[in-house]
Structure formats: C-alpha cells, structure tokens
Amino acid sequence: MRHLTAMAIKFISSLVLLYVILGLFFGMSFTNVFLITLALGIISYILGDMMILPRTSNTVATLADFGLAFLLIWIMSQNLTYGDNTFWPSLIAALGVTLFEYFFHKYINKNVVNAASNGQQGGNLQYQTEASEELAPVKPDVRSTNEDKNNQ
C-alpha cells in the first residue's frame, strides 16, 4: 500500500508539473504530457526511487533522476510532436522534475524505504576486511628442524 500511495503522489505531482511546463508554456497536448508522465513515473520509481536511492544518497538519486527525466522527456517529445525543437522544453521540464524529486526522495526515505526495512540492515552495507598475524611472512629465525638438518 505504501508503494501505491507513493506512486500516486509521484504521478499526480509530475502530471501537474509537466502539464504546466510542457502543456501551458510550450503547447504540448495533454495526451502527450500524460504519456510522458506515465512512462517517467513508472521507470523513475523503479530505477531511481527503489534501486538507486536506498543504496546511495539523495543527491546521487536526484542527479540520476535528472538524467533519466531529461532523456525520457526529450526522446518521447521528439517522437510525439512534429517539427518542434524539444531540447529546451525537455531541459526545463527535467529541471522541474528534479526539484520535485529532491523532496520526494525525502518522503520515500521516511515512509517507504525505512518503513519497509523494519529494523533489517539497510542498503548501505559497510564491508570490512580482517587481517591477522597468520598472513604475515614467516620470520627468518623460526625454522623447522628439517631445514636445519639440510643446511648442515
């Protein structure tokens, strides 16, 4: 249920944001904005919010979401519209989505990722190595009796 609530918040917020930027300012149709929002919401929730965010920081996940949002919005708007320059609208829309994602990641960390772990170890694993004296080379003054007999 937490995932459905988070996805609904992400979808509605992204739809409003992208419609204001792409629809009202740049004249893209609502259907195209809806399709872009649907694809961006599903892909970025799986990759950015469930895979990258639990294993890294909010900053890394936000930067990854910017790259994903820009590429996805740009490619989809190129394919859905005819003859328009879609670079600048895609860049502005990706910046808006990135700003939203920064705050959405805080919500995800608090209500979805930490609530799902229930005291289990998180995604930031800290591995350590063990070193001991057994791994050090043998000292020259410690010799077996067989070596002493061979040397005489």
Side-chain angles (χ1 to χ4, degrees), residues 9 11 15 22 34 54 70 72 85 92 94 114 117 122 125-126 131-132 148:
I9 291 170
F11 178 76
L15 182 64
L22 294 175
F34 183 82
F70 174 70
L72 192 70
N85 181 11
I92 294 169
N114 288 339
S117 67
L125 301 176
Q126 297 179 359
S132 64
D148 289 336

PDB file of all heavy atoms in Angstrom, residues 9 11 15 22 34 54 70 72 85 92 94 114 117 122 125-126 131-132 148:
ATOM      1  N   ILE A   9       1.209   9.768  -5.533  1.00  0.00           N
ATOM      2  CA  ILE A   9       1.715  11.123  -5.258  1.00  0.00           C
ATOM      3  C   ILE A   9       2.673  11.560  -6.358  1.00  0.00           C
ATOM      4  O   ILE A   9       2.596  12.681  -6.868  1.00  0.00           O
ATOM      5  CB  ILE A   9       2.412  11.159  -3.880  1.00  0.00           C
ATOM      6  CG1 ILE A   9       1.385  11.000  -2.766  1.00  0.00           C
ATOM      7  CG2 ILE A   9       3.198  12.451  -3.692  1.00  0.00           C
ATOM      8  CD1 ILE A   9       1.989  10.786  -1.401  1.00  0.00           C
ATOM      9  N   PHE A  11       2.877  10.421  -9.497  1.00  0.00           N
ATOM     10  CA  PHE A  11       2.209  10.582 -10.786  1.00  0.00           C
ATOM     11  C   PHE A  11       1.412  11.882 -10.846  1.00  0.00           C
ATOM     12  O   PHE A  11       1.522  12.635 -11.823  1.00  0.00           O
ATOM     13  CB  PHE A  11       1.291   9.381 -11.063  1.00  0.00           C
ATOM     14  CG  PHE A  11       0.551   9.515 -12.355  1.00  0.00           C
ATOM     15  CD1 PHE A  11       1.192   9.291 -13.558  1.00  0.00           C
ATOM     16  CD2 PHE A  11      -0.782   9.885 -12.375  1.00  0.00           C
ATOM     17  CE1 PHE A  11       0.519   9.435 -14.757  1.00  0.00           C
ATOM     18  CE2 PHE A  11      -1.466  10.025 -13.565  1.00  0.00           C
ATOM     19  CZ  PHE A  11      -0.812   9.798 -14.764  1.00  0.00           C
ATOM     20  N   LEU A  15       2.389  14.958 -13.205  1.00  0.00           N
ATOM     21  CA  LEU A  15       1.442  15.329 -14.254  1.00  0.00           C
ATOM     22  C   LEU A  15       1.122  16.819 -14.203  1.00  0.00           C
ATOM     23  O   LEU A  15       1.136  17.495 -15.229  1.00  0.00           O
ATOM     24  CB  LEU A  15       0.157  14.501 -14.129  1.00  0.00           C
ATOM     25  CG  LEU A  15      -0.914  14.760 -15.191  1.00  0.00           C
ATOM     26  CD1 LEU A  15      -0.397  14.372 -16.571  1.00  0.00           C
ATOM     27  CD2 LEU A  15      -2.178  13.985 -14.860  1.00  0.00           C
ATOM     28  N   LEU A  22       5.190  21.817 -19.953  1.00  0.00           N
ATOM     29  CA  LEU A  22       5.128  21.395 -21.356  1.00  0.00           C
ATOM     30  C   LEU A  22       3.821  21.792 -22.037  1.00  0.00           C
ATOM     31  O   LEU A  22       3.819  22.157 -23.211  1.00  0.00           O
ATOM     32  CB  LEU A  22       5.317  19.876 -21.458  1.00  0.00           C
ATOM     33  CG  LEU A  22       6.675  19.327 -21.046  1.00  0.00           C
ATOM     34  CD1 LEU A  22       6.665  17.809 -21.090  1.00  0.00           C
ATOM     35  CD2 LEU A  22       7.775  19.884 -21.916  1.00  0.00           C
ATOM     36  N   PHE A  34       0.491  13.322 -20.659  1.00  0.00           N
ATOM     37  CA  PHE A  34       0.051  12.176 -19.864  1.00  0.00           C
ATOM     38  C   PHE A  34       0.916  10.953 -20.147  1.00  0.00           C
ATOM     39  O   PHE A  34       1.336  10.245 -19.214  1.00  0.00           O
ATOM     40  CB  PHE A  34      -1.422  11.871 -20.149  1.00  0.00           C
ATOM     41  CG  PHE A  34      -1.972  10.750 -19.320  1.00  0.00           C
ATOM     42  CD1 PHE A  34      -2.413  10.985 -18.022  1.00  0.00           C
ATOM     43  CD2 PHE A  34      -2.044   9.462 -19.825  1.00  0.00           C
ATOM     44  CE1 PHE A  34      -2.919   9.953 -17.253  1.00  0.00           C
ATOM     45  CE2 PHE A  34      -2.539   8.425 -19.061  1.00  0.00           C
ATOM     46  CZ  PHE A  34      -2.983   8.666 -17.773  1.00  0.00           C
ATOM     47  N   PRO A  54      17.882   3.789  -2.189  1.00  0.00           N
ATOM     48  CA  PRO A  54      18.243   3.062  -0.954  1.00  0.00           C
ATOM     49  C   PRO A  54      19.726   2.731  -0.840  1.00  0.00           C
ATOM     50  O   PRO A  54      20.233   2.535   0.247  1.00  0.00           O
ATOM     51  CB  PRO A  54      17.421   1.772  -1.033  1.00  0.00           C
ATOM     52  CG  PRO A  54      16.316   2.075  -1.961  1.00  0.00           C
ATOM     53  CD  PRO A  54      16.866   3.066  -2.943  1.00  0.00           C
ATOM     54  N   PHE A  70      15.443  13.941 -18.253  1.00  0.00           N
ATOM     55  CA  PHE A  70      15.780  14.693 -19.463  1.00  0.00           C
ATOM     56  C   PHE A  70      15.755  13.800 -20.695  1.00  0.00           C
ATOM     57  O   PHE A  70      15.144  14.147 -21.709  1.00  0.00           O
ATOM     58  CB  PHE A  70      17.146  15.356 -19.315  1.00  0.00           C
ATOM     59  CG  PHE A  70      17.595  16.023 -20.572  1.00  0.00           C
ATOM     60  CD1 PHE A  70      16.958  17.171 -21.029  1.00  0.00           C
ATOM     61  CD2 PHE A  70      18.634  15.503 -21.313  1.00  0.00           C
ATOM     62  CE1 PHE A  70      17.350  17.781 -22.204  1.00  0.00           C
ATOM     63  CE2 PHE A  70      19.036  16.108 -22.486  1.00  0.00           C
ATOM     64  CZ  PHE A  70      18.399  17.252 -22.934  1.00  0.00           C
ATOM     65  N   LEU A  72      14.299  10.850 -21.174  1.00  0.00           N
ATOM     66  CA  LEU A  72      12.977  10.296 -21.457  1.00  0.00           C
ATOM     67  C   LEU A  72      12.030  11.366 -22.010  1.00  0.00           C
ATOM     68  O   LEU A  72      11.328  11.120 -22.997  1.00  0.00           O
ATOM     69  CB  LEU A  72      12.392   9.653 -20.205  1.00  0.00           C
ATOM     70  CG  LEU A  72      11.160   8.798 -20.431  1.00  0.00           C
ATOM     71  CD1 LEU A  72      11.545   7.534 -21.178  1.00  0.00           C
ATOM     72  CD2 LEU A  72      10.523   8.444 -19.126  1.00  0.00           C
ATOM     73  N   ASN A  85      11.399  22.119 -31.816  1.00  0.00           N
ATOM     74  CA  ASN A  85      12.653  21.981 -31.098  1.00  0.00           C
ATOM     75  C   ASN A  85      12.302  21.620 -29.663  1.00  0.00           C
ATOM     76  O   ASN A  85      11.746  22.421 -28.927  1.00  0.00           O
ATOM     77  CB  ASN A  85      13.448  23.286 -31.146  1.00  0.00           C
ATOM     78  CG  ASN A  85      14.766  23.177 -30.420  1.00  0.00           C
ATOM     79  OD1 ASN A  85      15.202  22.081 -30.050  1.00  0.00           O
ATOM     80  ND2 ASN A  85      15.412  24.301 -30.215  1.00  0.00           N
ATOM     81  N   ILE A  92      14.029  22.221 -19.361  1.00  0.00           N
ATOM     82  CA  ILE A  92      13.297  22.946 -18.321  1.00  0.00           C
ATOM     83  C   ILE A  92      12.379  22.010 -17.549  1.00  0.00           C
ATOM     84  O   ILE A  92      12.285  22.071 -16.318  1.00  0.00           O
ATOM     85  CB  ILE A  92      12.529  24.128 -18.941  1.00  0.00           C
ATOM     86  CG1 ILE A  92      13.521  25.149 -19.494  1.00  0.00           C
ATOM     87  CG2 ILE A  92      11.588  24.765 -17.938  1.00  0.00           C
ATOM     88  CD1 ILE A  92      12.901  26.215 -20.360  1.00  0.00           C
ATOM     89  N   ALA A  94      12.810  18.772 -17.166  1.00  0.00           N
ATOM     90  CA  ALA A  94      13.658  17.884 -16.366  1.00  0.00           C
ATOM     91  C   ALA A  94      14.162  18.596 -15.112  1.00  0.00           C
ATOM     92  O   ALA A  94      14.261  17.982 -14.045  1.00  0.00           O
ATOM     93  CB  ALA A  94      14.836  17.377 -17.196  1.00  0.00           C
ATOM     94  N   ASN A 114      12.458   3.185   4.816  1.00  0.00           N
ATOM     95  CA  ASN A 114      12.696   2.902   6.232  1.00  0.00           C
ATOM     96  C   ASN A 114      11.550   2.119   6.856  1.00  0.00           C
ATOM     97  O   ASN A 114      11.765   1.308   7.741  1.00  0.00           O
ATOM     98  CB  ASN A 114      12.937   4.194   7.012  1.00  0.00           C
ATOM     99  CG  ASN A 114      14.283   4.794   6.693  1.00  0.00           C
ATOM    100  OD1 ASN A 114      15.183   4.117   6.223  1.00  0.00           O
ATOM    101  ND2 ASN A 114      14.412   6.084   6.937  1.00  0.00           N
ATOM    102  N   SER A 117      11.978  -1.622   5.896  1.00  0.00           N
ATOM    103  CA  SER A 117      13.111  -2.373   6.429  1.00  0.00           C
ATOM    104  C   SER A 117      12.809  -3.007   7.781  1.00  0.00           C
ATOM    105  O   SER A 117      13.290  -4.087   8.074  1.00  0.00           O
ATOM    106  CB  SER A 117      14.347  -1.471   6.536  1.00  0.00           C
ATOM    107  OG  SER A 117      14.140  -0.470   7.504  1.00  0.00           O
ATOM    108  N   GLY A 122      20.064  -1.931   6.250  1.00  0.00           N
ATOM    109  CA  GLY A 122      19.718  -1.107   5.104  1.00  0.00           C
ATOM    110  C   GLY A 122      20.555  -1.424   3.886  1.00  0.00           C
ATOM    111  O   GLY A 122      21.335  -2.371   3.856  1.00  0.00           O
ATOM    112  N   LEU A 125      25.667  -1.003   2.820  1.00  0.00           N
ATOM    113  CA  LEU A 125      26.445  -2.021   3.509  1.00  0.00           C
ATOM    114  C   LEU A 125      27.877  -1.539   3.674  1.00  0.00           C
ATOM    115  O   LEU A 125      28.452  -0.934   2.785  1.00  0.00           O
ATOM    116  CB  LEU A 125      26.423  -3.323   2.712  1.00  0.00           C
ATOM    117  CG  LEU A 125      25.038  -3.910   2.467  1.00  0.00           C
ATOM    118  CD1 LEU A 125      25.137  -5.145   1.599  1.00  0.00           C
ATOM    119  CD2 LEU A 125      24.357  -4.237   3.767  1.00  0.00           C
ATOM    120  N   GLN A 126      28.441  -1.804   4.831  1.00  0.00           N
ATOM    121  CA  GLN A 126      29.824  -1.425   5.099  1.00  0.00           C
ATOM    122  C   GLN A 126      30.629  -2.694   5.325  1.00  0.00           C
ATOM    123  O   GLN A 126      30.544  -3.320   6.380  1.00  0.00           O
ATOM    124  CB  GLN A 126      29.897  -0.513   6.312  1.00  0.00           C
ATOM    125  CG  GLN A 126      29.168   0.781   6.112  1.00  0.00           C
ATOM    126  CD  GLN A 126      29.236   1.662   7.341  1.00  0.00           C
ATOM    127  OE1 GLN A 126      29.825   1.286   8.344  1.00  0.00           O
ATOM    128  NE2 GLN A 126      28.641   2.829   7.256  1.00  0.00           N
ATOM    129  N   ALA A 131      42.516  -8.737   9.051  1.00  0.00           N
ATOM    130  CA  ALA A 131      43.941  -9.036   8.893  1.00  0.00           C
ATOM    131  C   ALA A 131      44.454  -9.579  10.217  1.00  0.00           C
ATOM    132  O   ALA A 131      44.034  -9.151  11.288  1.00  0.00           O
ATOM    133  CB  ALA A 131      44.711  -7.786   8.502  1.00  0.00           C
ATOM    134  N   SER A 132      45.358 -10.517  10.134  1.00  0.00           N
ATOM    135  CA  SER A 132      45.921 -11.088  11.354  1.00  0.00           C
ATOM    136  C   SER A 132      47.377 -11.436  11.114  1.00  0.00           C
ATOM    137  O   SER A 132      47.894 -11.313  10.008  1.00  0.00           O
ATOM    138  CB  SER A 132      45.128 -12.320  11.765  1.00  0.00           C
ATOM    139  OG  SER A 132      45.263 -13.319  10.786  1.00  0.00           O
ATOM    140  N   ASP A 148      67.096 -27.269   9.303  1.00  0.00           N
ATOM    141  CA  ASP A 148      68.404 -27.206   9.964  1.00  0.00           C
ATOM    142  C   ASP A 148      69.296 -28.387   9.559  1.00  0.00           C
ATOM    143  O   ASP A 148      70.487 -28.232   9.375  1.00  0.00           O
ATOM    144  CB  ASP A 148      68.228 -27.215  11.493  1.00  0.00           C
ATOM    145  CG  ASP A 148      67.639 -25.893  11.994  1.00  0.00           C
ATOM    146  OD1 ASP A 148      67.797 -24.886  11.284  1.00  0.00           O
ATOM    147  OD2 ASP A 148      67.032 -25.903  13.087  1.00  0.00           O
TER     148      ASP A 148
END
